[in-house]
């Protein structure tokens, strides 16, 4: 058994615990053995990156009303938006993950304009200039709603300027994604923006590539490896873009990056039949940025 398969099997086992116990176990493992041992507030640079891209398309955050799908552990994305002038950020999380210690760290980090961690991007934001545009974050402007369902926000029709997510879409079943997009279309103002950054790649993949999990059929994946603790829908970047178009949005722009190790391994890998309709480039795209608008 491969290391990546073992990781998914452990999460599958945890998911059979009473749900609150499973969440607590995952929370404990993340804080003491996982990525939260040395927290990186990646929502902070990701949001500045998002705003830089959106401002090129005519969106400006000052006095805007925004909706975030997937708050995460620290709330740094919503705080960064308030530091750029957003009037209100409604942030929805299916489970209550926000960690008070990390929330306070996020407030301090954004207020102090600390340097950002730059991922490999298909573009180069002017980070120093963007940090200069930040003011102190305003936590009171963040409405944290969890447990909450982004399919049913309760917000009025045409009342929101921007709906967005960072590394969330890949964790949502397709049927639910369609409903979230429908709700987004309802609450956005005409001309309002949608922004999603997603990772169509296997997560937590030490010793493997972004596409190793594509060797497993959908039936086997759903029965033995998919789990409610850290669900992955395995949608390709192309499919994420198509779902937004199908929901009625005008896709303005999208960017992707590829996994070179996955591309090389693909030469000798036996992909599951349902993924053979994709080109090698579509299979190995590991990050996607999407900007869309409500007509």
């Amino acid at each position: 058994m491969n290391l990546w398969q073992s990781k998914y099997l452990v999460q599958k086992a945890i998911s059979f615990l009473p749900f609150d116990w499973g969440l607590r176990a995952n929370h404990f493992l993340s804080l003491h053995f996982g990525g939260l041992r040395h927290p990186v507030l990646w929502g902070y640079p990701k949001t500045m990156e998002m705003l830089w891209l959106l401002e090129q398309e005519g969106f400006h955050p000052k006095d805007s009303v925004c909706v975030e799908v997937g708050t995460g552990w620290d709330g740094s994305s919503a705080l960064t938006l308030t530091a750029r002038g957003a009037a209100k950020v409604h942030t929805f999380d299916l489970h209550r993950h926000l960690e008070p210690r990390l929330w306070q760290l996020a407030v301090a980090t954004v207020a102090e304009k600390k340097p950002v961690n730059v991922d490999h991007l298909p573009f180069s934001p002017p980070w120093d200039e963007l940090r200069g545009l930040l003011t102190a974050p305003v936590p009171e402007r963040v409405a944290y709603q969890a447990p909450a369902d982004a399919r049913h926000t309760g917000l009025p029709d045409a009342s929101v300027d921007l709906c967005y997510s960072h590394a969330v879409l890949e964790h949502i079943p397709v049927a639910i994604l369609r409903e979230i997009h429908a709700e987004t279309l309802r609450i956005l103002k005409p001309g309002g923006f949608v922004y999603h950054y997603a990772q169509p790649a296997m997560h937590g993949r030490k010793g493997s590539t972004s596409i190793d999990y594509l060797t497993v059929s959908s039936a086997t994946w759903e029965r033995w490896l998919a789990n409610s603790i850290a669900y992955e829908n395995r949608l390709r970047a192309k499919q994420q873009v198509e779902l937004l178009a199908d929901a009625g949005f005008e896709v303005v722009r999208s960017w992707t990056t590829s996994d070179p190790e996955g591309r090389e391994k693909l030469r000798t890998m036996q992909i599951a039949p349902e993924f053979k309709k994709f080109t090698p480039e579509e299979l190995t795209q590991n990050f996607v940025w999407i900007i869309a608008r409500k007509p």
Side-chain angles (χ1 to χ4, degrees):
M1 180 182 296
N2 294 322
L3 182 61
W4 70 265
Q5 292 172 324
S6 300
K7 172 240 183 185
Y8 284 106
L9 284 171
V10 168
Q11 289 179 325
K12 185 77 169 182
I14 291 174
S15 72
F16 285 115
L17 294 170
F19 196 71
D20 284 348
W21 293 11
L23 283 178
R24 288 178 194 146
N26 187 59
H27 186 96
F28 177 85
L29 291 171
S30 297
L31 282 172
H32 296 282
F33 301 100
L36 296 183
R37 287 177 300 167
H38 309 289
V40 175
L41 303 177
W42 62 269
Y44 166 34
K46 286 296 177 193
T47 304
M48 290 203 291
E49 169 189 310
M50 172 183 76
L51 290 173
W52 180 68
L53 291 169
L54 285 171
E55 286 173 3
Q56 295 177 58
E57 303 299 333
F59 173 81
H60 299 284
K62 184 172 174 56
D63 299 326
S64 64
V65 175
C66 307
V67 166
E68 179 183 26
V69 178
T71 311
W73 299 90
D74 54 55
S76 58
S77 179
L79 287 167
T80 304
L81 269 170
T82 72
R84 285 292 304 276
K88 196 74 174 182
V89 182
H90 300 274
T91 179
F92 294 83
D93 228 343
L94 188 59
H95 309 297
R96 197 171 187 87
H97 290 303
L98 192 66
E99 173 69 26
R101 174 176 64 86
L102 297 180
W103 167 259
Q104 292 304 321
L105 176 62
V107 173
T109 299
V110 177
E112 294 168 16
K113 305 182 185 182
K114 289 185 178 178
V116 296
N117 296 287
V118 182
D119 292 336
H120 174 66
L121 303 174
F123 33 76
S124 183
W127 296 112
D128 290 338
E129 177 186 333
L130 294 178
R131 279 196 297 272
L133 296 173
L134 291 172
T135 60
V138 187
E140 293 78 15
R141 293 184 189 168
V142 177
Y144 176 51
Q145 302 187 48
D149 192 334
R151 294 175 292 178
H152 311 289
T153 63
L155 297 172
D157 292 357
S159 61
V160 172
D161 300 287
L162 168 68
C163 291
Y164 73 97
S165 72
H166 300 300
V168 171
L169 297 192
E170 66 268 26
H171 296 296
I172 302 175
V174 175
I176 296 176
L177 265 181
R178 293 186 188 278
E179 294 182 65
I180 289 174
H181 292 334
E183 175 71 350
T184 298
L185 192 69
R186 181 187 72 78
I187 62 177
L188 270 181
K189 299 174 182 177
F193 282 91
V194 174
Y195 175 94
H196 293 295
Y197 159 73
Q199 299 177 4
M202 188 172 76
H203 290 23
R205 55 180 189 270
K206 287 184 178 179
S208 55
T209 72
S210 65
I211 62 170
D212 281 39
Y213 68 167
L214 301 183
T215 60
V216 179
S217 70
S218 294
T220 300
W221 177 260
E222 292 296 333
R223 182 172 184 180
W224 298 109
L225 299 174
N227 63 84
S228 57
I229 299 297
Y231 182 82
E232 292 178 43
N233 56 37
R234 302 196 298 170
L235 290 174
R236 304 295 86 211
K238 175 183 178 181
Q239 293 173 293
Q240 295 285 12
V241 175
E242 289 173 344
L243 280 174
L244 282 165
D246 291 345
F249 293 100
E250 172 198 350
V251 177
V252 177
R253 295 187 71 181
S254 65
W255 302 261
T256 59
T257 58
S258 294
D259 173 16
E261 293 181 358
R263 186 66 176 265
E264 182 62 29
K265 193 170 184 178
L266 190 60
R267 300 174 187 273
T268 57
M269 180 181 286
Q270 184 61 41
I271 295 293
E274 52 266 51
F275 295 106
K276 290 184 176 179
K277 63 184 178 182
F278 297 102
T279 67
E281 178 65 23
E282 291 167 347
L283 286 171
T284 56
Q285 287 168 342
N286 54 356
F287 297 100
V288 60
W289 295 256
I290 310 166
I291 295 177
R293 295 188 75 167
K294 177 177 177 176

